[in-house]
Amino acid sequence: MKHIVKIFSLVVAITALWIGLLQSSVIPRSHTWLLPVYFVVSLGCYGLLMVGVGLMNFPTCPQEALLLQEDIVEAKEYLKQRGVDVSSS
């Protein structure tokens, strides 16, 4: 619930700033109308950047990979005992 309140208050603050810029003549009106579009594009670029950084820093875990392979072999043996065909072809 607290996260929703933070997001909502951020949206309200950004909307108030945008309306304030529309009412004042600090930034030309033609640029002010495009600020939400710029914000959404910037947010998308930030999201892609964070996904890219996360993928570049994704840890490799060789021990966990071996444990996973052991679990797969164990599960295949269990399913073969139950009569399930688990051939990988």
Side-chain angles (χ1 to χ4, degrees), residues 18 21-23 27-38:
W18 182 57
L21 287 173
L22 280 174
Q23 297 298 321
I27 297 175
R29 207 167 176 81
S30 60
H31 294 0
T32 309
W33 281 107
L34 292 175
L35 283 177
V37 175
Y38 294 150

Side-chain angles (χ1 to χ4, degrees), residues 35-68:
L35 283 177
V37 175
Y38 294 150
F39 177 72
V40 169
V41 169
S42 298
L43 189 62
C45 290
Y46 174 76
L48 286 174
L49 177 72
M50 288 297 105
V51 168
V53 167
L55 287 174
M56 288 188 322
N57 294 334
F58 192 77
T60 56
C61 305
Q63 295 105 358
E64 296 298 322
L66 291 174
L67 290 174
L68 180 60

Side-chain angles (χ1 to χ4, degrees), residues 1 9 11 14 21 23-24 26 28 33-34 36 38 43 54-56 62 68 70 73 79 87 89:
M1 186 68 172
S9 62
V11 168
I14 290 172
L21 287 173
Q23 297 298 321
S24 69
V26 176
W33 281 107
L34 292 175
Y38 294 150
L43 189 62
L55 287 174
M56 288 188 322
L68 180 60
E70 291 174 6
V73 168
L79 290 173
S87 61
S89 56

